[in-house]
Amino acid sequence: MTSLLLKHPFFVGAVVLWLLNESLVGQDDFLSVEDLFEDDDRVAAETIADPIEGFNRAMFGFNDYVYKKLLAPVSKGYSAITPDPLERGFSNFFDNIKYPVRLTGNILQGKVEGAFQETGKFLVNTTLGVAGFHKASNDFPNLNPPIEDIGQAFGAWGIGEGFYIVIPFLGPSNARDLVGRLADRIPDVTNTPWTVLDSSTDRILFWTTDVLTDSPALVYRYESFTQAAIDPYEAMKDGFTKYRIQQIRE
Amino acid sequence: MLSKSTLKTFLLFTALSLPVAVLQSAELPEVQLKKTIEAVIEVLYKVDDSESLETKRAEVLSVLDQSFSFDVIIRRTLGRNWEKLSPDQQNQIVTLATDLLIHSYTREFTAGRKPTVAFEKPLELSTNKIEIASVLSLENTNINLTYRLAKLESGWQVYDLIVEGVSLVSNYRKQFDAHFQKKNGDELIDQLEAKLDAL
């Protein structure tokens, strides 16, 4: 090979050039439009278990009414009278106070780094962020872990999602996440037995304010989603399921 | 005067450089996508705000057309139901559904102050297919948007968009499958027109 290269360098170079060209021409190929309509386009989309579809559709209709006719007007009124910085401040405060739930979600999945990041985020926002009203952690790129909850921990442990269920007022869920939601209440500092709120009236007022502060973003997202959908029920079912799969994968 | 061997070396070097130069002249898909998305944001957040949202949407569509293959996206959302439609119905549905998508897409970009977008490096999915993840930073929230692109004869084109883990194509396919279990193409056209009228 060496003697061939020494005796006929131009010939060897030409062969190399030809091989290189072949490989580059190969890379330069393109797909036809038909190539993109793979086999999965020809078959039905995979199904999500929905044995109580009748109940779920009724609850979806109920929630749709509540969001559009009750929550949206209240939310728009709240946004109109609340200055933007104050609105953000309230939203940050309620987000910060849910730290124990996110921490539990991290610990149950063995996410040590996430648990440390959540703790750091809580400490920074509570101190530098003045009791959580300012999201000071935004200035620290390492203090932005994915949001975890107990339902995600169940998913990470290999527990299947079970059947789809629409919860009145709360929206889409599934059997696994419904149990997760209930379990999320255990480390929640606004719930008994740890609660820092003395009376049930205080707790209801607190939760109502929490929903109200989240409502502008929630209503905006909900309207975006349903406006673009042909079948909002199916779109929400698929969207929620895939979103949770993504969260668990993270 | 060049010696024979120097001339051969020169010719060989020039010939080897040619294909590389040709490849470099084509714009990288991530560069093209970034330019398109930034152009969309520029249209939606023009300082001169006298244009109506409808005019802006028409401009957005013409910008997106450079990188998005709506024909492919809509046909993929219909999947096996595509064959149930007449050519006329197919054309109408592609036009109406594209309008609906543009409304939805532009709405995400117009919440509050001008958003910023950060793109990650492309990830190869298979031959001539890549995906590019991005984070759209809005006033109060970040949205993960992943663009799937295929190299077609017309260049790199987006054929699916993944929003927070939810594939646009797959999500609409679910809805269209549910529709065609009980209804037909004409009813879908009526429904799309009613949706657009209500926006």
Side-chain angles (χ1 to χ4, degrees):
Chain A
M1 180 67 194
T2 311
S3 62
L4 183 68
L5 182 64
L6 290 171
K7 284 180 186 170
H8 306 286
F10 192 74
F11 171 73
V12 173
V15 171
V16 169
L17 174 62
W18 177 77
L19 288 171
L20 186 62
N21 259 323
E22 282 298 300
S23 92
L24 288 174
V25 167
Q27 280 179 26
D28 215 8
D29 275 349
F30 50 80
L31 297 170
S32 73
V33 170
E34 289 299 323
D35 290 333
L36 287 173
F37 308 127
E38 304 125 325
D39 289 342
D40 65 347
D41 289 351
R42 312 282 177 199
V43 297
E46 76 273 27
T47 51
I48 296 162
D50 192 3
I52 52 168
E53 186 175 342
F55 167 82
N56 283 340
R57 281 194 180 268
M59 283 307 109
F60 183 84
F62 171 75
N63 286 346
D64 188 68
Y65 183 86
V66 170
Y67 295 157
K68 285 180 179 165
K69 303 291 181 192
L70 301 177
L71 191 60
V74 173
S75 160
K76 279 166 190 163
Y78 165 74
S79 283
I81 60 167
T82 316
D84 283 353
L86 201 59
E87 205 179 307
R88 274 198 296 276
F90 282 135
S91 180
N92 291 340
F93 171 78
F94 284 104
D95 184 53
N96 194 47
I97 214 164
K98 287 169 193 144
Y99 153 73
V101 177
R102 296 191 295 269
L103 178 70
T104 309
N106 273 294
I107 291 170
L108 291 178
Q109 292 176 75
K111 291 186 171 178
V112 179
E113 192 183 348
F116 272 108
Q117 286 180 334
E118 273 297 345
T119 305
K121 182 177 157 185
F122 175 73
L123 291 174
V124 166
N125 288 337
T126 306
T127 53
L128 295 177
V130 193
F133 280 91
H134 170 57
K135 218 169 200 171
S137 60
N138 281 350
D139 297 332
F140 301 88
N142 288 335
L143 296 183
N144 193 21
I147 294 168
E148 304 292 346
D149 54 52
I150 297 176
Q152 284 182 63
F154 290 162
W157 294 349
I159 299 173
E161 63 201 21
F163 59 88
Y164 182 68
I165 182 164
V166 181
I167 308 171
F169 297 105
L170 298 177
S173 190
N174 55 47
R176 179 195 61 212
D177 289 340
L178 178 60
V179 177
R181 265 180 181 274
L182 294 171
D184 279 342
R185 294 171 66 87
I186 298 169
D188 186 342
V189 292
T190 63
N191 270 311
T192 48
W194 333 103
T195 186
V196 289
L197 301 166
D198 292 336
S199 71
S200 57
T201 314
D202 288 349
R203 282 197 290 276
I204 289 169
L205 191 65
F206 187 87
W207 292 332
T208 308
T209 316
D210 183 9
V211 171
L212 189 64
T213 56
D214 273 348
S215 65
L218 182 72
V219 166
Y220 186 83
R221 282 286 181 88
Y222 183 76
E223 283 178 352
S224 282
F225 198 82
T226 50
Q227 276 181 4
I230 309 298
D231 183 337
Y233 176 80
E234 286 294 334
M236 187 67 82
K237 183 165 75 173
D238 175 69
F240 170 79
T241 306
K242 298 281 172 56
Y243 179 61
R244 289 298 282 175
I245 290 170
Q246 163 94 345
Q247 280 188 316
I248 291 164
R249 207 175 283 154
E250 279 178 350
Chain B
M1 187 76 183
L2 291 170
S3 71
K4 203 174 172 184
S5 63
T6 310
L7 184 64
K8 280 179 179 176
T9 309
F10 173 74
L11 284 172
L12 182 62
F13 178 78
T14 309
L16 278 170
S17 307
L18 270 174
V20 177
V22 168
L23 278 183
Q24 283 175 342
S25 68
E27 196 166 50
L28 292 168
E30 59 269 34
V31 175
Q32 181 199 323
L33 180 67
K34 189 167 183 280
K35 279 184 184 172
T36 303
I37 303 305
E38 284 173 352
V40 167
I41 295 172
E42 285 307 313
V43 169
L44 293 171
Y45 287 85
K46 272 181 187 171
V47 179
D48 168 24
D49 209 20
S50 57
E51 277 181 10
S52 70
L53 199 56
E54 278 314 302
T55 313
K56 284 182 176 178
R57 283 196 178 118
E59 273 187 65
V60 166
L61 178 58
S62 92
V63 172
L64 285 178
D65 259 342
Q66 295 162 21
S67 294
F68 284 61
S69 180
F70 286 106
D71 287 3
V72 170
I73 291 172
I74 305 299
R75 187 171 158 185
R76 292 192 71 225
T77 62
L78 283 153
R80 60 185 183 150
N81 299 304
W82 180 259
E83 311 295 343
K84 296 176 184 168
L85 302 166
S86 69
D88 188 44
Q89 285 175 323
Q90 288 172 349
N91 288 334
Q92 281 191 69
I93 288 172
V94 167
T95 306
L96 293 168
T98 302
D99 270 1
L100 193 62
L101 286 184
I102 294 290
H103 270 85
S104 157
Y105 190 75
T106 50
R107 199 171 193 269
E108 282 301 317
F109 276 80
T110 48
R113 68 165 204 272
K114 189 175 175 179
T116 56
V117 191
F119 288 92
E120 289 180 16
K121 285 181 182 170
L123 182 73
E124 189 171 341
L125 297 173
S126 61
T127 310
N128 291 321
K129 278 187 185 175
I130 58 169
E131 73 173 27
I132 301 175
S134 73
V135 179
L136 176 70
S137 298
L138 297 167
E139 194 163 333
N140 288 323
T141 184
N142 291 339
I143 300 176
N144 293 307
L145 290 172
T146 299
Y147 299 86
R148 288 203 172 142
L149 296 97
K151 193 175 186 187
L152 303 174
E153 196 172 1
S154 53
W156 285 97
Q157 297 280 301
V158 174
Y159 69 93
D160 196 3
L161 179 63
I162 321 287
V163 186
E164 294 289 357
V166 182
S167 153
L168 184 141
V169 166
S170 166
N171 191 271
Y172 272 93
R173 192 181 298 159
K174 285 265 173 37
Q175 298 177 57
F176 287 139
D177 269 0
H179 174 94
F180 280 100
Q181 278 174 13
K182 293 175 186 165
K183 298 176 186 170
N184 59 30
D186 283 335
E187 285 169 297
L188 179 58
I189 291 167
D190 290 344
Q191 204 175 334
L192 285 166
E193 283 173 341
K195 274 261 163 201
L196 286 164
D197 286 343
L199 290 173

